[in-house]
Amino acid sequence: MPGITLGDTVPNLEVETTHGKFKLHDHFADSWTVLFSHPGDFTPVCTTELGAMAKYAHEFEKRGVKLLGLSCDDVQSHKDWIKDIEAFALGSKVKYPIIADPNKEIIPQLNMIDPIENGPSRALHIVGPDSKIKLSFLYPSTTGRNMDEVLRALDSLLMASKHNNKIATPVNWKPHEPVVISPAVSDEEAKKMFPKGFKTADLPSKKGYLRHTEVS
């Protein structure tokens, strides 16, 4: 995709939202943020997704992570749409702000464009407190997000950050499962860093690069 991507700083745009105006960097400054875009209000897949975000909001709150939506309509349209979202979500309240972008000026600056349809996309950035993009998802218009995978990926990022990116999470990893040690960490360093020890997979190459350990 063209535009900002992993490791890039999100532009410090002033945005109008359902919670008032603010600059993006001020919003990102003290926590991680899940920033997710939608092509438009009163659309079926987007309604289910924003409802799911409302249902999962407590999971993000437990992790100290903010939610920030974006849709290509104005604030009043968002407020009217929220009534439908909350009705669909069976009582879950939309407490997170939704950015208004009726002229579609913000969404390209955030690289949330669908290259197939050449328009606003169903995209998601996980942004760190340093206002840099740590992970991105881009979905076609026909495919809704999986909230469990968003949470799993977020947990992986938070775990890696906590350990200064000296660990990584293997395939299908879930919280409380073993992680792998970065190849940049020597065995001697690993013994000091991981008091629970580590297990090296016995592979034909005998290179000793696949090391599992337990962290919290």
Side-chain angles (χ1 to χ4, degrees):
M1 295 187 296
I4 60 172
T5 186
L6 295 186
D8 289 343
T9 299
V10 176
N12 191 22
L13 306 174
E14 183 173 70
V15 294
E16 186 175 4
T17 80
T18 50
H19 290 193
K21 289 184 178 180
F22 54 75
K23 287 201 166 185
L24 288 179
H25 288 193
D26 293 338
H27 190 77
F28 300 151
D30 58 352
S31 70
W32 291 65
T33 302
V34 175
L35 170 62
F36 51 101
S37 67
H38 300 272
D41 297 357
F42 301 101
T43 53
V45 176
C46 297
T47 298
T48 66
E49 289 186 323
L50 268 74
M53 281 294 189
K55 289 181 178 179
Y56 276 71
H58 68 285
E59 291 291 343
F60 293 100
E61 289 171 7
K62 284 195 306 186
R63 293 161 172 80
V65 174
K66 297 176 183 174
L67 297 175
L68 178 58
L70 187 160
S71 185
C72 293
D73 286 289
D74 60 34
V75 168
Q76 186 56 53
S77 176
H78 290 353
K79 290 180 177 179
D80 293 338
W81 185 29
I82 284 171
K83 297 172 186 176
D84 283 5
I85 296 166
E86 292 180 344
F88 176 78
L90 300 176
S92 295
K93 298 297 182 182
V94 176
K95 297 180 180 179
Y96 52 82
I98 304 173
I99 298 170
D101 189 20
N103 297 320
K104 301 180 177 63
E105 295 173 342
I106 296 171
I107 210 156
Q109 295 184 73
L110 299 179
N111 195 18
M112 291 175 144
I113 293 293
D114 184 334
I116 297 174
E117 299 192 3
N118 194 30
S121 71
R122 184 170 292 110
L124 182 148
H125 297 320
I126 296 180
V127 183
D130 57 0
S131 299
K132 294 182 184 294
I133 296 176
K134 308 300 183 180
L135 179 147
S136 290
F137 290 119
L138 177 62
Y139 294 83
S141 61
T142 55
T143 303
R145 299 177 178 93
N146 183 307
M147 294 301 148
D148 291 323
E149 173 58 13
V150 173
L151 272 178
R152 191 196 75 87
L154 175 62
D155 283 333
S156 171
L157 289 170
L158 293 174
M159 179 67 73
S161 177
K162 180 179 179 181
H163 293 277
N164 298 313
N165 294 323
K166 300 298 185 181
I167 59 97
T169 57
V171 64
N172 296 332
W173 175 88
K174 293 179 182 178
H176 310 300
E177 294 182 349
V179 299
V180 294
I181 301 171
S182 167
V185 177
S186 69
D187 283 352
E188 290 304 313
E189 291 174 313
K191 290 173 184 177
K192 297 175 184 176
M193 293 176 61
F194 305 107
K196 294 184 179 180
F198 58 90
K199 182 177 180 180
T200 303
D202 184 13
L203 302 175
S205 69
K206 304 300 182 184
K207 292 183 180 293
Y209 60 88
L210 182 51
R211 299 166 295 173
H212 287 86
T213 190
E214 295 182 7
V215 294
S216 58

